[in-house]
Structures are given as structure tokens and as C-alpha cells.
Short mmCIF file of all heavy atoms in Angstrom, two decimals:
data_model
loop_
_atom_site.label_atom_id
_atom_site.label_comp_id
_atom_site.label_asym_id
_atom_site.label_seq_id
_atom_site.Cartn_x
_atom_site.Cartn_y
_atom_site.Cartn_z
N CYS A 1 38.13 -43.93 -46.65
CA CYS A 1 38.75 -44.88 -47.47
C CYS A 1 39.83 -44.22 -48.36
O CYS A 1 39.55 -43.28 -49.10
CB CYS A 1 37.68 -45.52 -48.41
SG CYS A 1 38.30 -46.57 -49.65
N VAL A 2 41.07 -44.66 -48.15
CA VAL A 2 42.15 -44.02 -48.87
C VAL A 2 42.05 -44.15 -50.42
O VAL A 2 42.31 -43.24 -51.13
CB VAL A 2 43.51 -44.61 -48.37
CG1 VAL A 2 44.68 -44.06 -49.14
CG2 VAL A 2 43.66 -44.34 -46.87
N VAL A 3 41.63 -45.30 -50.83
CA VAL A 3 41.50 -45.55 -52.30
C VAL A 3 40.37 -44.70 -52.89
O VAL A 3 40.40 -44.40 -54.05
CB VAL A 3 41.33 -47.05 -52.54
CG1 VAL A 3 41.10 -47.33 -54.03
CG2 VAL A 3 42.52 -47.85 -52.04
N CYS A 4 39.40 -44.29 -52.10
CA CYS A 4 38.24 -43.50 -52.57
C CYS A 4 38.58 -42.04 -52.75
O CYS A 4 37.75 -41.34 -53.34
CB CYS A 4 37.06 -43.68 -51.68
SG CYS A 4 36.48 -45.42 -51.60
N GLU A 5 39.71 -41.55 -52.27
CA GLU A 5 39.96 -40.09 -52.31
C GLU A 5 39.86 -39.54 -53.74
O GLU A 5 39.26 -38.49 -53.93
CB GLU A 5 41.35 -39.81 -51.80
CG GLU A 5 41.45 -39.97 -50.32
CD GLU A 5 42.89 -39.79 -49.79
OE1 GLU A 5 43.78 -39.50 -50.56
OE2 GLU A 5 43.06 -39.91 -48.57
N PRO A 6 40.36 -40.16 -54.79
CA PRO A 6 40.20 -39.60 -56.12
C PRO A 6 38.79 -39.52 -56.59
O PRO A 6 38.41 -38.60 -57.26
CB PRO A 6 41.01 -40.60 -57.04
CG PRO A 6 41.90 -41.28 -56.10
CD PRO A 6 41.24 -41.36 -54.75
N PHE A 7 37.92 -40.50 -56.13
CA PHE A 7 36.57 -40.42 -56.53
C PHE A 7 35.79 -39.30 -55.87
O PHE A 7 34.91 -38.69 -56.49
CB PHE A 7 35.90 -41.80 -56.24
CG PHE A 7 36.55 -42.92 -56.94
CD1 PHE A 7 37.37 -43.78 -56.25
CD2 PHE A 7 36.41 -43.10 -58.30
CE1 PHE A 7 38.02 -44.82 -56.91
CE2 PHE A 7 37.02 -44.11 -58.99
CZ PHE A 7 37.84 -44.99 -58.29
N VAL A 8 36.22 -38.92 -54.67
CA VAL A 8 35.59 -37.80 -53.98
C VAL A 8 36.03 -36.52 -54.74
O VAL A 8 35.20 -35.64 -55.01
CB VAL A 8 36.04 -37.69 -52.53
CG1 VAL A 8 35.54 -36.42 -51.88
CG2 VAL A 8 35.50 -38.88 -51.75
N PHE A 9 37.30 -36.40 -55.13
CA PHE A 9 37.79 -35.27 -55.92
C PHE A 9 37.04 -35.18 -57.28
O PHE A 9 36.59 -34.12 -57.65
CB PHE A 9 39.27 -35.38 -56.15
CG PHE A 9 39.83 -34.37 -57.10
CD1 PHE A 9 40.04 -33.03 -56.69
CD2 PHE A 9 40.15 -34.73 -58.43
CE1 PHE A 9 40.51 -32.15 -57.61
CE2 PHE A 9 40.64 -33.80 -59.28
CZ PHE A 9 40.83 -32.50 -58.90
N LEU A 10 36.89 -36.31 -57.92
CA LEU A 10 36.28 -36.31 -59.22
C LEU A 10 34.79 -35.95 -59.15
O LEU A 10 34.24 -35.44 -60.08
CB LEU A 10 36.47 -37.67 -59.93
CG LEU A 10 37.83 -37.88 -60.52
CD1 LEU A 10 37.99 -39.36 -60.88
CD2 LEU A 10 38.09 -37.00 -61.66
N SER A 11 34.16 -36.21 -58.00
CA SER A 11 32.70 -35.85 -57.91
C SER A 11 32.50 -34.38 -58.00
O SER A 11 31.44 -33.92 -58.37
CB SER A 11 32.16 -36.44 -56.59
OG SER A 11 32.77 -35.80 -55.48
N SER A 12 33.54 -33.59 -57.62
CA SER A 12 33.40 -32.13 -57.76
C SER A 12 33.49 -31.71 -59.25
O SER A 12 33.23 -30.55 -59.55
CB SER A 12 34.50 -31.46 -56.96
OG SER A 12 35.80 -31.77 -57.50
N LEU A 13 33.88 -32.53 -60.14
CA LEU A 13 33.97 -32.26 -61.56
C LEU A 13 32.65 -32.51 -62.34
O LEU A 13 32.64 -32.42 -63.51
CB LEU A 13 35.08 -33.03 -62.20
CG LEU A 13 36.49 -32.76 -61.73
CD1 LEU A 13 37.51 -33.68 -62.40
CD2 LEU A 13 36.91 -31.33 -61.94
N GLN A 14 31.60 -32.79 -61.61
CA GLN A 14 30.26 -33.06 -62.14
C GLN A 14 30.31 -34.21 -63.13
O GLN A 14 29.99 -34.05 -64.32
CB GLN A 14 29.74 -31.81 -62.81
CG GLN A 14 29.51 -30.67 -61.89
CD GLN A 14 29.01 -29.41 -62.59
OE1 GLN A 14 29.09 -29.34 -63.79
NE2 GLN A 14 28.41 -28.54 -61.79
N LEU A 15 30.64 -35.40 -62.65
CA LEU A 15 30.66 -36.57 -63.48
C LEU A 15 29.22 -37.06 -63.68
O LEU A 15 28.38 -36.90 -62.81
CB LEU A 15 31.42 -37.67 -62.79
CG LEU A 15 32.88 -37.32 -62.45
CD1 LEU A 15 33.53 -38.43 -61.62
CD2 LEU A 15 33.67 -37.05 -63.71
N THR A 16 28.95 -37.66 -64.78
CA THR A 16 27.61 -38.18 -65.03
C THR A 16 27.55 -39.68 -64.95
O THR A 16 26.64 -40.24 -64.44
CB THR A 16 27.08 -37.73 -66.42
OG1 THR A 16 28.04 -38.15 -67.40
CG2 THR A 16 26.93 -36.24 -66.48
N ASN A 17 28.58 -40.38 -65.53
CA ASN A 17 28.52 -41.83 -65.55
C ASN A 17 29.85 -42.44 -65.26
O ASN A 17 30.91 -41.91 -65.73
CB ASN A 17 28.09 -42.31 -66.93
CG ASN A 17 26.63 -42.06 -67.25
OD1 ASN A 17 25.79 -42.02 -66.36
ND2 ASN A 17 26.34 -41.81 -68.48
N VAL A 18 29.86 -43.55 -64.55
CA VAL A 18 31.08 -44.36 -64.47
C VAL A 18 31.05 -45.33 -65.68
O VAL A 18 30.13 -46.08 -65.84
CB VAL A 18 31.06 -45.21 -63.18
CG1 VAL A 18 32.25 -46.14 -63.08
CG2 VAL A 18 31.05 -44.27 -61.92
N VAL A 19 32.02 -45.21 -66.53
CA VAL A 19 32.08 -46.06 -67.71
C VAL A 19 32.58 -47.43 -67.33
O VAL A 19 32.04 -48.46 -67.76
CB VAL A 19 32.97 -45.39 -68.80
CG1 VAL A 19 33.14 -46.30 -70.03
CG2 VAL A 19 32.46 -44.04 -69.17
N ASP A 20 33.63 -47.48 -66.53
CA ASP A 20 34.24 -48.76 -66.19
C ASP A 20 34.98 -48.56 -64.86
O ASP A 20 35.58 -47.49 -64.63
CB ASP A 20 35.20 -49.15 -67.27
CG ASP A 20 35.89 -50.51 -67.03
OD1 ASP A 20 35.31 -51.31 -66.26
OD2 ASP A 20 36.91 -50.77 -67.66
N CYS A 21 35.06 -49.59 -64.01
CA CYS A 21 35.72 -49.50 -62.75
C CYS A 21 36.19 -50.87 -62.35
O CYS A 21 35.39 -51.80 -62.34
CB CYS A 21 34.85 -48.93 -61.65
SG CYS A 21 35.71 -48.67 -60.10
N CYS A 22 37.47 -51.02 -62.09
CA CYS A 22 38.09 -52.30 -61.70
C CYS A 22 38.91 -52.10 -60.45
O CYS A 22 39.77 -51.12 -60.40
CB CYS A 22 38.99 -52.89 -62.82
SG CYS A 22 38.05 -53.24 -64.31
N LEU A 23 38.74 -52.87 -59.44
CA LEU A 23 39.53 -52.80 -58.22
C LEU A 23 40.12 -54.19 -57.98
O LEU A 23 39.46 -55.19 -57.95
CB LEU A 23 38.62 -52.41 -57.04
CG LEU A 23 39.21 -52.38 -55.65
CD1 LEU A 23 40.36 -51.32 -55.59
CD2 LEU A 23 38.18 -52.02 -54.61
N TYR A 24 41.45 -54.14 -57.76
CA TYR A 24 42.18 -55.44 -57.55
C TYR A 24 42.83 -55.42 -56.18
O TYR A 24 43.64 -54.56 -55.91
CB TYR A 24 43.26 -55.63 -58.67
CG TYR A 24 42.68 -55.68 -60.01
CD1 TYR A 24 42.75 -54.57 -60.83
CD2 TYR A 24 42.10 -56.81 -60.50
CE1 TYR A 24 42.28 -54.60 -62.14
CE2 TYR A 24 41.61 -56.85 -61.77
CZ TYR A 24 41.67 -55.77 -62.62
OH TYR A 24 41.17 -55.77 -63.88
N TYR A 25 42.48 -56.35 -55.31
CA TYR A 25 43.09 -56.55 -54.08
C TYR A 25 44.24 -57.55 -54.25
O TYR A 25 44.02 -58.71 -54.58
CB TYR A 25 42.12 -57.06 -53.00
CG TYR A 25 41.03 -56.06 -52.68
CD1 TYR A 25 39.76 -56.15 -53.19
CD2 TYR A 25 41.32 -55.00 -51.83
CE1 TYR A 25 38.78 -55.25 -52.89
CE2 TYR A 25 40.34 -54.03 -51.49
CZ TYR A 25 39.06 -54.20 -52.05
OH TYR A 25 38.10 -53.28 -51.78
N LEU A 26 45.45 -57.07 -54.07
CA LEU A 26 46.59 -57.92 -54.39
C LEU A 26 47.21 -58.68 -53.14
O LEU A 26 47.75 -59.70 -53.27
CB LEU A 26 47.67 -57.09 -55.05
CG LEU A 26 47.21 -56.31 -56.27
CD1 LEU A 26 48.28 -55.40 -56.76
CD2 LEU A 26 46.79 -57.30 -57.35
N ARG A 27 47.10 -58.03 -51.97
CA ARG A 27 47.60 -58.65 -50.80
C ARG A 27 46.89 -58.03 -49.55
O ARG A 27 46.28 -56.96 -49.64
CB ARG A 27 49.13 -58.55 -50.64
CG ARG A 27 49.66 -57.14 -50.62
CD ARG A 27 51.20 -57.10 -50.55
NE ARG A 27 51.86 -58.05 -51.41
CZ ARG A 27 52.21 -57.86 -52.66
NH1 ARG A 27 51.97 -56.68 -53.22
NH2 ARG A 27 52.82 -58.75 -53.38
N ALA A 28 46.99 -58.76 -48.44
CA ALA A 28 46.33 -58.24 -47.20
C ALA A 28 47.00 -57.02 -46.65
O ALA A 28 48.24 -56.88 -46.71
CB ALA A 28 46.31 -59.34 -46.15
N ALA A 29 46.21 -56.09 -46.08
CA ALA A 29 46.78 -54.89 -45.45
C ALA A 29 47.01 -55.18 -43.96
O ALA A 29 46.35 -56.02 -43.37
CB ALA A 29 45.79 -53.79 -45.60
N LYS A 30 47.98 -54.44 -43.45
CA LYS A 30 48.30 -54.55 -42.00
C LYS A 30 47.86 -53.26 -41.32
O LYS A 30 47.54 -52.31 -41.99
CB LYS A 30 49.77 -54.75 -41.85
CG LYS A 30 50.31 -56.02 -42.50
CD LYS A 30 51.80 -56.09 -42.43
CE LYS A 30 52.23 -57.35 -43.17
NZ LYS A 30 53.57 -57.20 -43.72
N GLU A 31 47.84 -53.25 -40.01
CA GLU A 31 47.50 -52.05 -39.28
C GLU A 31 48.66 -51.13 -39.20
O GLU A 31 49.39 -51.09 -38.21
CB GLU A 31 47.02 -52.44 -37.83
CG GLU A 31 45.63 -53.02 -37.83
CD GLU A 31 45.09 -53.09 -36.44
OE1 GLU A 31 45.29 -52.21 -35.61
OE2 GLU A 31 44.43 -54.13 -36.14
N GLN A 32 48.90 -50.44 -40.30
CA GLN A 32 49.99 -49.49 -40.40
C GLN A 32 49.62 -48.44 -41.46
O GLN A 32 48.57 -48.57 -42.09
CB GLN A 32 51.32 -50.17 -40.70
CG GLN A 32 51.38 -50.82 -42.03
CD GLN A 32 52.66 -51.63 -42.19
OE1 GLN A 32 53.19 -52.21 -41.29
NE2 GLN A 32 53.26 -51.54 -43.38
N VAL A 33 50.44 -47.48 -41.59
CA VAL A 33 50.15 -46.36 -42.58
C VAL A 33 50.05 -46.92 -44.01
O VAL A 33 50.84 -47.80 -44.40
CB VAL A 33 51.29 -45.32 -42.48
CG1 VAL A 33 51.02 -44.23 -43.54
CG2 VAL A 33 51.34 -44.72 -41.09
N THR A 34 49.04 -46.50 -44.72
CA THR A 34 48.84 -46.88 -46.10
C THR A 34 49.03 -45.60 -46.97
O THR A 34 48.44 -44.56 -46.71
CB THR A 34 47.43 -47.41 -46.34
OG1 THR A 34 47.30 -48.58 -45.45
CG2 THR A 34 47.22 -47.84 -47.77
N TYR A 35 49.82 -45.72 -48.04
CA TYR A 35 50.08 -44.67 -48.97
C TYR A 35 49.41 -44.89 -50.26
O TYR A 35 49.18 -46.06 -50.65
CB TYR A 35 51.62 -44.56 -49.20
CG TYR A 35 52.43 -44.34 -47.95
CD1 TYR A 35 53.00 -45.42 -47.30
CD2 TYR A 35 52.53 -43.07 -47.43
CE1 TYR A 35 53.71 -45.25 -46.14
CE2 TYR A 35 53.34 -42.89 -46.25
CZ TYR A 35 53.88 -43.99 -45.66
OH TYR A 35 54.63 -43.83 -44.51
N THR A 36 49.03 -43.84 -50.92
CA THR A 36 48.39 -43.98 -52.28
C THR A 36 49.03 -42.99 -53.22
O THR A 36 49.52 -41.98 -52.86
CB THR A 36 46.87 -43.69 -52.26
OG1 THR A 36 46.61 -42.38 -51.79
CG2 THR A 36 46.11 -44.66 -51.37
N LYS A 37 49.04 -43.43 -54.51
CA LYS A 37 49.38 -42.57 -55.56
C LYS A 37 48.30 -42.69 -56.63
O LYS A 37 47.92 -43.80 -57.01
CB LYS A 37 50.74 -43.02 -56.19
CG LYS A 37 51.18 -42.13 -57.36
CD LYS A 37 52.58 -42.45 -57.79
CE LYS A 37 52.61 -43.75 -58.54
NZ LYS A 37 53.92 -44.07 -59.12
N TRP A 38 47.73 -41.54 -56.99
CA TRP A 38 46.68 -41.62 -58.02
C TRP A 38 46.93 -40.59 -59.06
O TRP A 38 47.48 -39.55 -58.88
CB TRP A 38 45.31 -41.50 -57.42
CG TRP A 38 45.07 -40.45 -56.39
CD1 TRP A 38 45.50 -40.45 -55.08
CD2 TRP A 38 44.34 -39.23 -56.58
NE1 TRP A 38 45.10 -39.29 -54.47
CE2 TRP A 38 44.36 -38.53 -55.32
CE3 TRP A 38 43.75 -38.62 -57.64
CZ2 TRP A 38 43.78 -37.30 -55.18
CZ3 TRP A 38 43.15 -37.40 -57.51
CH2 TRP A 38 43.17 -36.75 -56.24
N THR A 39 46.50 -41.00 -60.27
CA THR A 39 46.69 -40.15 -61.43
C THR A 39 45.34 -39.99 -62.14
O THR A 39 44.65 -41.00 -62.40
CB THR A 39 47.70 -40.83 -62.43
OG1 THR A 39 48.86 -41.13 -61.71
CG2 THR A 39 48.00 -39.92 -63.58
N ILE A 40 44.96 -38.76 -62.42
CA ILE A 40 43.80 -38.46 -63.18
C ILE A 40 44.23 -37.91 -64.54
O ILE A 40 44.96 -36.90 -64.60
CB ILE A 40 42.88 -37.48 -62.49
CG1 ILE A 40 42.45 -38.00 -61.10
CG2 ILE A 40 41.65 -37.11 -63.36
CD1 ILE A 40 41.69 -37.00 -60.29
N THR A 41 43.83 -38.56 -65.64
CA THR A 41 44.18 -38.14 -66.94
C THR A 41 42.94 -37.96 -67.75
O THR A 41 42.05 -38.80 -67.75
CB THR A 41 45.09 -39.27 -67.61
OG1 THR A 41 46.16 -39.56 -66.76
CG2 THR A 41 45.59 -38.75 -68.95
N ARG A 42 42.91 -36.87 -68.45
CA ARG A 42 41.78 -36.60 -69.34
C ARG A 42 42.06 -37.26 -70.69
O ARG A 42 43.06 -37.07 -71.30
CB ARG A 42 41.52 -35.13 -69.48
CG ARG A 42 40.29 -34.78 -70.17
CD ARG A 42 40.03 -33.27 -70.02
NE ARG A 42 38.70 -33.06 -70.54
CZ ARG A 42 37.87 -32.13 -70.02
NH1 ARG A 42 38.27 -31.41 -69.02
NH2 ARG A 42 36.66 -32.00 -70.51
N LYS A 43 41.12 -38.12 -71.11
CA LYS A 43 41.19 -38.77 -72.41
C LYS A 43 40.16 -38.18 -73.37
O LYS A 43 39.03 -38.43 -73.27
CB LYS A 43 40.92 -40.26 -72.24
CG LYS A 43 41.79 -41.01 -71.24
CD LYS A 43 43.17 -41.16 -71.77
CE LYS A 43 44.03 -41.94 -70.88
NZ LYS A 43 45.37 -42.08 -71.33
N GLY A 44 40.65 -37.29 -74.20
CA GLY A 44 39.70 -36.60 -75.09
C GLY A 44 38.94 -35.54 -74.34
O GLY A 44 39.36 -34.99 -73.31
N SER A 45 37.75 -35.18 -74.84
CA SER A 45 36.97 -34.10 -74.23
C SER A 45 35.92 -34.59 -73.26
O SER A 45 35.41 -33.77 -72.47
CB SER A 45 36.31 -33.24 -75.30
OG SER A 45 35.35 -34.06 -76.02
N ARG A 46 35.65 -35.87 -73.19
CA ARG A 46 34.54 -36.34 -72.37
C ARG A 46 34.87 -37.46 -71.43
O ARG A 46 33.99 -37.91 -70.68
CB ARG A 46 33.40 -36.75 -73.30
CG ARG A 46 32.97 -35.55 -74.13
CD ARG A 46 31.61 -35.78 -74.77
NE ARG A 46 30.59 -35.99 -73.74
CZ ARG A 46 29.48 -36.62 -73.97
NH1 ARG A 46 29.19 -37.13 -75.17
NH2 ARG A 46 28.60 -36.80 -73.01
N VAL A 47 36.06 -37.93 -71.38
CA VAL A 47 36.39 -39.11 -70.57
C VAL A 47 37.59 -38.79 -69.63
O VAL A 47 38.56 -38.26 -70.14
CB VAL A 47 36.69 -40.36 -71.38
CG1 VAL A 47 37.08 -41.57 -70.56
CG2 VAL A 47 35.47 -40.75 -72.24
N ALA A 48 37.50 -39.18 -68.34
CA ALA A 48 38.61 -39.06 -67.43
C ALA A 48 39.05 -40.46 -67.00
O ALA A 48 38.20 -41.31 -66.71
CB ALA A 48 38.24 -38.25 -66.23
N ASP A 49 40.32 -40.69 -67.00
CA ASP A 49 40.87 -42.00 -66.58
C ASP A 49 41.53 -41.80 -65.23
O ASP A 49 42.37 -40.88 -65.05
CB ASP A 49 41.90 -42.45 -67.61
CG ASP A 49 42.60 -43.72 -67.25
OD1 ASP A 49 41.89 -44.64 -66.80
OD2 ASP A 49 43.83 -43.86 -67.39
N VAL A 50 41.19 -42.63 -64.24
CA VAL A 50 41.78 -42.56 -62.89
C VAL A 50 42.49 -43.88 -62.64
O VAL A 50 41.94 -44.94 -62.79
CB VAL A 50 40.68 -42.33 -61.82
CG1 VAL A 50 41.24 -42.27 -60.42
CG2 VAL A 50 39.89 -41.09 -62.13
N GLU A 51 43.75 -43.75 -62.18
CA GLU A 51 44.52 -44.97 -61.79
C GLU A 51 45.02 -44.73 -60.37
O GLU A 51 45.60 -43.67 -60.00
CB GLU A 51 45.68 -45.14 -62.73
CG GLU A 51 46.48 -46.36 -62.46
CD GLU A 51 47.61 -46.54 -63.48
OE1 GLU A 51 47.74 -45.73 -64.35
OE2 GLU A 51 48.31 -47.54 -63.39
N ILE A 52 44.82 -45.75 -59.48
CA ILE A 52 45.15 -45.64 -58.07
C ILE A 52 46.06 -46.84 -57.69
O ILE A 52 45.69 -47.93 -58.09
CB ILE A 52 43.91 -45.58 -57.18
CG1 ILE A 52 42.98 -44.47 -57.63
CG2 ILE A 52 44.33 -45.39 -55.72
CD1 ILE A 52 41.57 -44.89 -57.70
N ILE A 53 47.10 -46.58 -56.92
CA ILE A 53 47.94 -47.63 -56.35
C ILE A 53 48.01 -47.41 -54.88
O ILE A 53 48.35 -46.29 -54.45
CB ILE A 53 49.32 -47.60 -57.00
CG1 ILE A 53 49.22 -47.81 -58.52
CG2 ILE A 53 50.20 -48.66 -56.41
CD1 ILE A 53 50.51 -47.55 -59.25
N ALA A 54 47.79 -48.39 -54.07
CA ALA A 54 47.89 -48.34 -52.62
C ALA A 54 48.98 -49.33 -52.13
O ALA A 54 48.95 -50.43 -52.54
CB ALA A 54 46.49 -48.61 -51.93
N TRP A 55 49.79 -48.86 -51.23
CA TRP A 55 50.86 -49.73 -50.67
C TRP A 55 51.15 -49.35 -49.24
O TRP A 55 50.69 -48.29 -48.77
CB TRP A 55 52.15 -49.64 -51.51
CG TRP A 55 52.87 -48.34 -51.36
CD1 TRP A 55 53.84 -48.07 -50.49
CD2 TRP A 55 52.68 -47.12 -52.11
NE1 TRP A 55 54.29 -46.74 -50.67
CE2 TRP A 55 53.59 -46.18 -51.64
CE3 TRP A 55 51.80 -46.75 -53.16
CZ2 TRP A 55 53.66 -44.88 -52.19
CZ3 TRP A 55 51.89 -45.51 -53.64
CH2 TRP A 55 52.78 -44.55 -53.17
N GLN A 56 51.87 -50.21 -48.54
CA GLN A 56 52.21 -49.90 -47.14
C GLN A 56 53.72 -49.82 -46.93
O GLN A 56 54.23 -48.89 -46.34
CB GLN A 56 51.60 -50.96 -46.23
CG GLN A 56 50.06 -50.83 -46.14
CD GLN A 56 49.45 -51.72 -45.16
OE1 GLN A 56 49.78 -52.89 -45.04
NE2 GLN A 56 48.53 -51.15 -44.43
N THR A 57 54.48 -50.80 -47.32
CA THR A 57 55.91 -50.79 -47.08
C THR A 57 56.73 -50.37 -48.29
O THR A 57 57.75 -49.67 -48.13
CB THR A 57 56.40 -52.20 -46.60
OG1 THR A 57 56.01 -53.11 -47.60
CG2 THR A 57 55.80 -52.55 -45.29
N SER A 58 56.32 -50.76 -49.49
CA SER A 58 57.07 -50.41 -50.67
C SER A 58 56.12 -50.18 -51.85
O SER A 58 55.14 -50.99 -52.02
CB SER A 58 58.00 -51.58 -51.04
OG SER A 58 58.58 -51.40 -52.32
N GLU A 59 56.37 -49.17 -52.61
CA GLU A 59 55.49 -48.91 -53.72
C GLU A 59 55.60 -50.01 -54.80
O GLU A 59 54.68 -50.24 -55.58
CB GLU A 59 55.95 -47.56 -54.41
CG GLU A 59 54.98 -47.05 -55.45
CD GLU A 59 55.32 -45.72 -55.97
OE1 GLU A 59 56.21 -45.00 -55.41
OE2 GLU A 59 54.74 -45.35 -57.02
N ASN A 60 56.65 -50.80 -54.75
CA ASN A 60 56.87 -51.92 -55.68
C ASN A 60 56.05 -53.17 -55.24
O ASN A 60 56.02 -54.13 -55.97
CB ASN A 60 58.34 -52.28 -55.77
CG ASN A 60 59.16 -51.14 -56.43
OD1 ASN A 60 58.65 -50.42 -57.22
ND2 ASN A 60 60.37 -50.99 -55.98
N ALA A 61 55.44 -53.07 -54.06
CA ALA A 61 54.60 -54.17 -53.57
C ALA A 61 53.19 -53.61 -53.19
O ALA A 61 52.86 -53.51 -52.00
CB ALA A 61 55.24 -54.86 -52.35
N PRO A 62 52.39 -53.25 -54.18
CA PRO A 62 51.11 -52.65 -53.87
C PRO A 62 50.18 -53.70 -53.27
O PRO A 62 50.22 -54.88 -53.56
CB PRO A 62 50.55 -52.19 -55.25
CG PRO A 62 51.31 -53.00 -56.22
CD PRO A 62 52.63 -53.36 -55.62
N MET A 63 49.24 -53.18 -52.37
CA MET A 63 48.26 -54.03 -51.78
C MET A 63 46.97 -53.96 -52.55
O MET A 63 46.14 -54.91 -52.52
CB MET A 63 48.06 -53.75 -50.32
CG MET A 63 47.62 -52.32 -50.05
SD MET A 63 47.50 -52.03 -48.31
CE MET A 63 45.91 -51.18 -48.34
N ALA A 64 46.76 -52.88 -53.29
CA ALA A 64 45.55 -52.77 -54.15
C ALA A 64 45.80 -51.77 -55.25
O ALA A 64 46.60 -50.84 -55.12
CB ALA A 64 44.40 -52.28 -53.29
N THR A 65 45.15 -52.04 -56.37
CA THR A 65 45.21 -51.10 -57.50
C THR A 65 43.79 -50.92 -58.01
O THR A 65 42.89 -51.81 -57.84
CB THR A 65 46.11 -51.59 -58.65
OG1 THR A 65 45.57 -52.79 -59.12
CG2 THR A 65 47.51 -51.77 -58.20
N ALA A 66 43.48 -49.76 -58.62
CA ALA A 66 42.19 -49.57 -59.17
C ALA A 66 42.35 -48.70 -60.43
O ALA A 66 43.28 -47.95 -60.58
CB ALA A 66 41.33 -48.85 -58.19
N ARG A 67 41.40 -48.90 -61.33
CA ARG A 67 41.35 -48.11 -62.54
C ARG A 67 39.87 -47.86 -62.84
O ARG A 67 39.04 -48.76 -62.76
CB ARG A 67 42.01 -48.83 -63.70
CG ARG A 67 41.91 -48.05 -65.04
CD ARG A 67 42.71 -48.78 -66.11
NE ARG A 67 44.12 -48.64 -65.82
CZ ARG A 67 44.93 -47.83 -66.45
NH1 ARG A 67 44.48 -47.07 -67.40
NH2 ARG A 67 46.20 -47.77 -66.16
N ALA A 68 39.59 -46.61 -63.23
CA ALA A 68 38.24 -46.28 -63.53
C ALA A 68 38.18 -45.24 -64.66
O ALA A 68 39.11 -44.46 -64.81
CB ALA A 68 37.54 -45.69 -62.31
N HIS A 69 37.12 -45.29 -65.42
CA HIS A 69 36.92 -44.32 -66.50
C HIS A 69 35.53 -43.65 -66.23
O HIS A 69 34.60 -44.33 -65.96
CB HIS A 69 36.88 -45.02 -67.87
CG HIS A 69 38.10 -45.68 -68.25
ND1 HIS A 69 38.37 -47.01 -67.92
CD2 HIS A 69 39.22 -45.26 -68.80
CE1 HIS A 69 39.56 -47.35 -68.33
NE2 HIS A 69 40.13 -46.30 -68.90
N PHE A 70 35.57 -42.33 -66.36
CA PHE A 70 34.34 -41.53 -66.07
C PHE A 70 34.03 -40.68 -67.30
O PHE A 70 34.90 -40.17 -67.94
CB PHE A 70 34.55 -40.58 -64.87
CG PHE A 70 34.82 -41.30 -63.59
CD1 PHE A 70 36.09 -41.59 -63.13
CD2 PHE A 70 33.72 -41.71 -62.83
CE1 PHE A 70 36.27 -42.25 -61.94
CE2 PHE A 70 33.91 -42.36 -61.60
CZ PHE A 70 35.18 -42.63 -61.16
N LEU A 71 32.72 -40.57 -67.51
CA LEU A 71 32.22 -39.67 -68.56
C LEU A 71 31.98 -38.31 -67.95
O LEU A 71 31.29 -38.18 -66.96
CB LEU A 71 30.92 -40.21 -69.14
CG LEU A 71 30.27 -39.52 -70.28
CD1 LEU A 71 31.22 -39.58 -71.51
CD2 LEU A 71 28.95 -40.15 -70.66
N LEU A 72 32.63 -37.26 -68.52
CA LEU A 72 32.51 -35.90 -67.93
C LEU A 72 31.37 -35.19 -68.56
O LEU A 72 30.97 -35.41 -69.72
CB LEU A 72 33.85 -35.21 -68.26
CG LEU A 72 35.11 -35.81 -67.67
CD1 LEU A 72 36.31 -35.04 -68.25
CD2 LEU A 72 35.07 -35.78 -66.16
N VAL A 73 30.85 -34.27 -67.84
CA VAL A 73 29.74 -33.40 -68.27
C VAL A 73 30.31 -32.35 -69.22
O VAL A 73 31.25 -31.76 -69.01
CB VAL A 73 29.01 -32.68 -67.12
CG1 VAL A 73 27.93 -31.78 -67.65
CG2 VAL A 73 28.41 -33.74 -66.18
#
């Protein structure tokens, strides 16, 4: 799962709790290459914010977006 890549990376940081997670499907995907851009930002000493954008033809027309907050150990 392309959108799940950041979550696999974050699991190596010893996360304890998912504080919040929202996934928005904006349009249907086609059988072609899907690109993602994700940003992990530390908010304070105990929370990480993850933002993911997935698109196929143009970054200005995303097919899905996600945002999650994790409590760090």
C-alpha cells in the first residue's frame, strides 16, 4: 500500500498510540503509476504529525490524502 509507507517507517520509531487518523478518498484511481509525497513533522516532544498526498497524473489533483498524529515513546 503506497499510502501506508510512512506508517511502516514510523513503526520503527516505537510509537505507542495513534492519536488521530483521517483518510480521504478524493477520486478513483486508475491502473497506472501512483506517486506519494509524505511529510513527518515532530510536534513538541511527544507527538508526530504525518501528512500524505497520493496522485497519479498531477500533484494538483490528488486521489487520496491522509493525516495522522502519533504519540511517541
Side-chain angles (χ1 to χ4, degrees):
C1 173
V2 175
V3 175
C4 298
E5 289 174 4
F7 300 106
V8 173
F9 172 76
L10 283 170
S11 67
S12 67
L13 297 177
Q14 299 179 341
L15 304 175
T16 57
N17 290 329
V18 176
V19 176
D20 183 20
C21 183
C22 297
L23 177 61
Y24 300 100
Y25 294 101
L26 304 173
R27 58 182 44 89
K30 300 174 184 152
E31 286 192 39
Q32 63 187 41
V33 177
T34 301
Y35 303 97
T36 60
K37 179 172 74 173
W38 46 284
T39 307
I40 301 173
T41 308
R42 192 169 187 143
K43 303 288 185 181
S45 63
R46 300 197 58 203
V47 177
D49 177 44
V50 179
E51 184 176 2
I52 306 135
I53 301 170
W55 72 91
Q56 290 186 316
T57 56
S58 171
E59 188 175 349
N60 296 328
M63 57 183 227
T65 62
R67 178 174 289 256
H69 298 93
F70 295 94
L71 185 63
L72 302 173
V73 176

